[in-house]
Amino acid sequence: MSEQLLEQLPWFRAYVESGRAPVWTMGPADLHGFLTALAMAGPMPDGHWTSWVWSGDVPAFDSEEEEQHVLDELLAFEEQVRRGLGGYRPLSVTMLPHAGEGWYFVADWAEGFLQAIEANPLPWQAAMDEAEESVSVVLGTCYNNHDEDNTGHIGLEALDEINYHIRL
C-alpha cells in the first residue's frame, strides 16, 4: 500500500504491532479492500463493520485514549475510501499495495474485499446474479493473474481487467 495511505493509520498500525490486537486483525491492505467493498455496496445494515476488523474478537486497548484514536482513524479511513471511490468506481493504483517496478500486491486486499461481501451479502447477491462472471474475473485476477514468481503481485494490465469488470 502506498506510504501515504499507511501514514494515515499510525495508531492502528501501532496497536496491531503491539501484540495486544486480536490475532486475526486485518492488516492495512485487507482493511482497504474491505472498506472498498463496503463503499461500493453501501453501508452495512447494522452499521457495525468494525467488529470485522478484529475478526469478531474483542480488542483489548491499553487506554481509552488509544481506543479512541484507533477507532477515529478507522472511521476516517472509511470516509477517505468512500470519497476516493466517488461516483465512478475504478480501482486506482494508489489504493493498492505497491510492490515496486509496476507490480501491485492484491492478495490481502482481495481477502478484505471478500470479507466485506460476507459481512454485507445482500447488495452483492444482485451483482453475482447479474454479473457472476465479472465478479469471478475480478477475484480471479486478484488471486491468479500475478507475476511469474507467484508472489501475488499483479501489473497494470490486470488492474485494467479488474476495472473493466468491477461494477455493481
Side-chain angles (χ1 to χ4, degrees):
M1 182 160 294
S2 74
E3 284 302 314
Q4 183 181 14
L5 286 176
L6 287 175
E7 288 173 4
Q8 296 173 17
L9 298 168
W11 282 90
F12 176 75
R13 287 186 330 164
Y15 174 64
V16 170
E17 293 168 3
S18 74
R20 290 179 279 111
V23 174
W24 297 109
T25 295
M26 290 181 186
D30 304 76
L31 179 62
H32 194 279
F34 180 80
L35 294 175
T36 299
L38 288 184
M40 292 176 72
M44 288 177 58
D46 63 7
H48 297 292
W49 58 266
T50 55
S51 66
W52 284 81
V53 173
W54 320 118
S55 298
D57 288 339
V58 177
F61 294 101
D62 221 14
S63 66
E64 287 181 22
E65 178 188 27
E66 180 183 53
E67 179 179 13
Q68 192 61 52
H69 283 296
V70 169
L71 294 177
D72 286 349
E73 277 184 4
L74 290 175
L75 294 174
F77 195 53
E78 177 199 24
E79 179 60 30
Q80 178 195 356
V81 169
R82 285 186 187 283
R83 277 193 324 266
L85 287 176
Y88 182 59
R89 297 184 169 125
L91 296 177
S92 165
V93 294
T94 61
M95 297 169 130
L96 298 173
H98 188 250
E101 299 182 19
W103 291 98
Y104 298 87
F105 187 73
V106 294
D108 290 340
W109 186 91
E111 184 177 334
F113 197 95
L114 287 170
Q115 287 177 307
I117 292 172
E118 182 182 346
N120 191 17
L122 193 56
W124 292 99
Q125 188 58 51
M128 294 295 244
D129 291 345
E130 294 176 19
E132 185 171 345
E133 184 177 320
S134 289
V135 174
S136 297
V137 168
V138 169
L139 300 176
T141 300
C142 287
Y143 280 108
N144 299 317
N145 191 2
H146 45 72
D147 63 323
E148 294 174 8
D149 295 329
N150 200 27
T151 61
H153 298 102
I154 64 167
L156 292 176
E157 303 81 31
L159 184 62
D160 288 341
E161 185 176 1
I162 290 170
N163 279 324
Y164 174 78
H165 289 281
I166 198 164
R167 54 185 174 263
L168 277 177

